[in-house]
Amino acid sequence: MGLDLLLAASTPTPTPPASSGGFDLLGTIMWPFKWLVEAILVGWHWLFTAFGMEAASGLTWVLSIVGLVIVIRLAVFPLFVKQIKSQRKMMEIAPEMKKIQEKYKGKRDQLSREAMSRETMALYKKHGTTPMSSCLPLLVQMPFLLGMFYTLSDVAKHAVAGVGGVGLLNAQLTQQFYDATLFGVAPLHVSLKDAVTTKPDGWEVTVTILVVLVILMIGSQFFTQLQLISKNLSPEAKTGQAYQMQKIMLYILPLGFIFSGVFFPLGVVIYWFISNLWTMGQQFLVIREMPTPGSEAAKEREERLARKGKAINSQGKIVPIAAYEAEQQKMLEDAERLKASQPKREQPMSKKRAKKKGGNS
């Protein structure tokens, strides 16, 4: 049956009538991302039904959503690592940035502004980062994340209209998704607001599931942000303005999930929660294996390596402790030779002392 559904999905289906608002720019931009999301979702659904799961089962569609999250998040994982590195660098240079700002504080003339801009750009170049470098990876991920959101959110209206999505999620599969329920009670297309206002059969279970998921989403988001600012920042980075903003976001950002939990369908909330869990685990691994130098996480990593008889050399590579000690000894000897080869700096002599010395000679 699963193969039949996948083949049926490839048959074009009518799309919802265009809105009277004219050309849908956002819909046109999002079309390829929604098509890709539908293809991944239907692919996982076919796989699970091929193994004997019911096509219209809520568990089948929930597992398909989990598979969708896994595929998309694996695809953007390199961008996530780059984003973490960029954010870390921006926090590391925050104290130096503050010094530049203090230097030109209150100076409004053109020359001062140009000088401040040059010094700021030089600082970015020195550390290999810019404010945009930490935002760009997130911007690249957004179309895929929005594609996931719109695909899952549009299931209800498409099912009512008797049509499918933009690609492989045809009318039959859309109707199956619409009819799917979790634990045989909670429909995946119903939101907390709808469950409370319309009170369908088993609405208490739906509300309970959504409330629990919202609480778990808030907790996972809080923990994700907490491990970033508590374990992966150097002492210097904790003195900058960026760190203060991170502390504020620690408490504000999770509150956004209250809104999503109230108005978003259960299927979307499940996707969001699974995505949060992925982010939390992903960030834990990145902080554990790629910590900020000087941070608590970096010290813990050095201790773990030391227990295994290893250390991190000057190139950032893991080497045996003997090789690390030999490198450190060589660096110390090189520094001493360089110091010995430099001419000794003569202390400046006052005129009185120079005259006295000249008279004695």
Side-chain angles (χ1 to χ4, degrees), residues 66-80 83 141 144-145 148 271-272 274-280 282-283:
V66 173
L68 174 63
V69 173
I70 291 173
V71 172
I72 296 295
R73 296 307 295 269
L74 281 176
V76 299
F77 179 74
L79 295 176
F80 173 81
Q83 182 182 359
Q141 296 178 51
F144 294 99
L145 300 179
M148 296 170 73
Y271 141 68
W272 215 296
I274 298 301
S275 185
N276 262 17
L277 290 181
W278 180 280
T279 301
M280 185 172 65
Q282 187 173 252
Q283 185 165 273

Side-chain angles (χ1 to χ4, degrees), residues 313-332:
N313 65 8
S314 58
Q315 283 77 41
K317 297 180 180 179
I318 299 176
V319 297
I321 193 70
Y324 170 77
E325 291 175 349
E327 181 192 52
Q328 293 296 309
Q329 181 63 32
K330 184 177 182 301
M331 291 173 63
L332 179 61

Side-chain angles (χ1 to χ4, degrees), residues 107-353:
K107 298 180 180 180
R108 304 293 182 184
D109 59 284
Q110 184 68 22
L111 291 177
S112 297
R113 288 201 298 268
E114 290 178 357
M116 181 178 175
S117 178
R118 284 196 301 271
E119 292 186 27
T120 301
M121 294 307 297
L123 180 62
Y124 290 151
K125 185 176 181 180
K126 176 184 176 182
H127 292 272
T129 187
T130 63
M132 279 302 298
S133 62
S134 60
C135 299
L136 185 59
L138 180 61
L139 294 177
V140 174
Q141 296 178 51
M142 283 306 295
F144 294 99
L145 300 179
L146 287 174
M148 296 170 73
F149 170 75
Y150 284 127
T151 298
L152 299 179
S153 297
D154 289 345
V155 165
K157 69 178 183 181
H158 287 176
V160 172
V163 299
V166 300
L168 299 184
L169 192 66
N170 63 11
Q172 181 184 1
L173 291 172
T174 299
Q175 189 63 47
Q176 287 182 357
F177 193 112
Y178 181 81
D179 295 335
T181 57
L182 192 60
F183 305 124
V185 182
L188 296 181
H189 69 274
V190 172
S191 67
L192 180 60
K193 175 179 176 294
D194 294 336
V196 172
T197 54
T198 61
K199 291 183 171 58
D201 293 339
W203 68 275
E204 298 93 343
V205 178
T206 304
V207 170
T208 301
I209 293 173
L210 282 164
V211 169
V212 170
L213 284 175
V214 170
I215 293 173
L216 291 176
M217 282 196 302
I218 293 174
S220 60
Q221 179 65 40
F222 181 84
F223 181 79
T224 299
Q225 190 72 7
L226 180 63
Q227 68 178 349
L228 177 64
I229 67 173
S230 64
K231 300 189 66 175
N232 201 40
L233 294 180
S234 63
E236 293 79 12
K238 291 183 178 181
T239 62
Q241 186 176 3
Y243 174 68
Q244 299 302 324
M245 290 298 299
Q246 287 285 342
K247 288 182 66 177
I248 294 174
M249 294 301 293
L250 174 66
Y251 298 97
I252 293 179
L253 199 59
L255 296 179
F257 291 111
I258 296 177
F259 174 86
S260 65
V262 172
F263 296 100
F264 291 173
L266 177 57
V268 176
V269 175
I270 291 173
Y271 141 68
W272 215 296
F273 173 58
I274 298 301
S275 185
N276 262 17
L277 290 181
W278 180 280
T279 301
M280 185 172 65
Q282 187 173 252
Q283 185 165 273
F284 173 80
L285 292 176
V286 170
I287 292 175
R288 177 183 171 87
E289 302 301 327
M290 302 168 57
T292 301
S295 65
E296 181 183 340
K299 295 176 182 177
E300 291 178 357
R301 187 187 184 210
E302 291 171 0
E303 292 173 358
R304 290 195 304 269
L305 291 173
R307 288 194 293 268
K308 298 178 181 179
K310 297 180 180 180
I312 303 173
N313 65 8
S314 58
Q315 283 77 41
K317 297 180 180 179
I318 299 176
V319 297
I321 193 70
Y324 170 77
E325 291 175 349
E327 181 192 52
Q328 293 296 309
Q329 181 63 32
K330 184 177 182 301
M331 291 173 63
L332 179 61
E333 293 173 355
D334 291 344
E336 290 177 348
R337 280 197 298 269
L338 179 62
K339 184 178 179 181
S341 64
Q342 292 178 345
K344 293 184 178 181
R345 182 172 177 265
E346 294 185 1
Q347 293 293 332
M349 189 180 299
S350 65
K351 293 182 179 180
K352 183 177 180 181
R353 186 181 172 190

Side-chain angles (χ1 to χ4, degrees), residues 91-116:
M91 287 190 177
E92 287 176 350
I93 68 174
E96 297 180 61
M97 180 65 69
K98 186 176 181 180
K99 290 180 181 178
I100 295 176
Q101 293 171 348
E102 289 292 333
K103 180 179 178 180
Y104 293 97
K105 185 177 181 180
K107 298 180 180 180
R108 304 293 182 184
D109 59 284
Q110 184 68 22
L111 291 177
S112 297
R113 288 201 298 268
E114 290 178 357
M116 181 178 175

